[in-house]
Amino acid sequence: MSVGIFDSGLGGLTVLKEIRKIFPNEEIFYFGDTARVPYGEKTKDLIVRYSKEITDFLLTKNISALVVACNTATALAIEELKADYDIPVIGVIEAGVRGALSVTKTNEIGVIGTKATINSEKYKQEIQSKNKDIIVYQKACPLFVPVVEEGLLEGEIIESIIRHYLGDFDDKVDTLILGCTHYPLLKKEIHKLYPNLNLIDPAMETALDLKRILTDSDEAENKTGHTKYYVSDGVQNFRNIGSMFLEEEIEDIELIKL
């Protein structure tokens, strides 16, 4: 058995990286839908359709669990995936919420993400379903994804963009959920500008969710620990930028047309 992970593109590699720390021997299949990125500007119907197409493909790899390593797909498609498929399906939103609730002292939490994720209000609903007294501030940050994929992780340009978006949170929140899997690559710069914020990376909590689901027998010692990558477009670009996300070279990658 193995684990399937998918994202609209590269951001889910931050989730993959955390999962591999916990499951170094697990066989993993990662799908990046690079031909149809970004998901954050698309409709719910399209995202549900894309998510099911990718899931159908990953099921051909005999996966025992599916990780939706995309906040937008988690917000808009995970309920349909859980209803339509018989394997465990894990998303990043519940994980991020759990992390935020465990550290906030003021009961004021900020959430940043794509337009689709923020407009869905899934983070707000999940937070307030667990603690109705929490005040949630939300902000779409559409420029973060392209600057990350350009490799602009530090310097004046990214500092200006961070201030543009997060200035609204000044003195309002003590905890900020990075509600897009690209955003953890900006943690260092965000922390530099806002050192008092608790920054929540849902990728780490998502990996722990997977650990609770997989049994000891799933994590067999004789497994190879191999990761196979699939993309729907731009193999070389994915290899180049993905290596920056993972801090290692990406070797086994294949172009797939769904």
Side-chain angles (χ1 to χ4, degrees):
M1 305 299 283
S2 54
V3 175
I5 303 173
F6 82 85
D7 180 49
S8 59
L10 291 145
L13 294 175
T14 59
V15 179
L16 168 64
K17 188 175 181 180
E18 295 299 325
I19 288 173
R20 290 204 313 197
K21 290 178 182 177
I22 295 177
F23 296 104
N25 297 320
E26 194 70 45
E27 185 176 28
I28 298 174
F29 297 94
Y30 180 96
F31 191 98
D33 196 8
T34 45
R36 301 185 291 200
V37 70
Y39 280 11
E41 306 291 328
K42 293 181 171 60
T43 65
K44 175 181 171 67
D45 287 345
L46 265 182
I47 291 168
V48 170
R49 192 185 90 197
Y50 294 168
S51 298
K52 289 183 176 181
E53 288 173 354
I54 295 167
T55 301
D56 288 339
F57 169 74
L58 289 173
L59 284 171
T60 67
K61 308 303 174 186
N62 196 31
I63 60 174
S64 53
L66 176 71
V67 177
V68 184
C70 171
N71 283 267
T72 301
T74 299
L76 300 181
I78 199 165
E79 295 307 320
E80 285 83 352
L81 296 179
K82 287 181 176 179
D84 291 353
Y85 297 95
D86 292 331
I87 62 171
V89 180
I90 301 168
V92 288
I93 289 179
E94 288 184 13
V97 167
R98 185 172 57 251
L101 291 175
S102 71
V103 299
T104 183
K105 296 293 190 293
T106 65
N107 282 351
E108 295 177 313
I109 295 173
V111 181
I112 55 176
T114 66
K115 289 180 180 178
T117 297
I118 297 303
N119 289 340
S120 76
E121 298 213 325
K122 291 294 185 182
Y123 269 105
K124 183 176 182 179
Q125 293 166 10
E126 184 68 20
I127 291 169
Q128 294 185 334
S129 72
K130 290 178 168 50
N131 186 340
K132 60 182 176 57
D133 295 325
I134 298 284
I135 298 173
V136 181
Y137 300 89
Q138 302 183 92
K139 183 78 171 182
C141 304
L143 289 178
F144 279 175
V145 169
V147 296
V148 166
E149 296 200 353
E150 283 293 323
L152 296 174
L153 306 182
E154 58 184 5
E156 292 183 5
I157 293 175
I158 191 59
E159 285 184 11
S160 177
I161 295 172
I162 290 171
R163 286 195 182 96
H164 170 71
Y165 287 133
L166 301 192
D168 290 347
F169 293 141
D170 277 355
D171 301 321
K172 289 183 179 178
V173 303
D174 73 337
T175 301
L176 181 68
I177 298 175
L178 306 178
C180 173
T181 48
H182 281 70
Y183 297 179
L185 274 76
L186 299 174
K187 276 197 294 188
K188 181 179 177 182
E189 286 298 292
I190 293 173
H191 180 70
K192 184 171 75 174
L193 297 174
Y194 300 94
N196 295 322
L197 275 181
N198 299 310
L199 300 180
I200 303 301
D201 177 1
M204 299 170 65
E205 292 289 342
T206 301
L208 293 174
D209 277 353
L210 184 63
K211 184 178 182 180
R212 283 187 278 270
I213 286 174
L214 294 185
T215 66
D216 291 339
S217 60
D218 289 324
E219 176 62 355
E221 286 303 316
N222 61 357
K223 288 187 178 180
T224 63
H226 181 67
T227 302
K228 170 76 175 185
Y229 301 89
Y230 300 96
V231 295
S232 50
D233 191 30
V235 169
Q236 192 56 49
N237 187 62
F238 184 91
R239 192 192 309 273
N240 293 341
I241 302 175
S243 297
M244 175 186 71
F245 275 66
L246 294 175
E247 299 180 295
E248 66 180 48
E249 291 301 312
I250 290 177
E251 303 292 343
D252 193 357
I253 182 170
E254 183 177 340
L255 180 67
I256 295 291
K257 299 295 185 183
L258 296 179

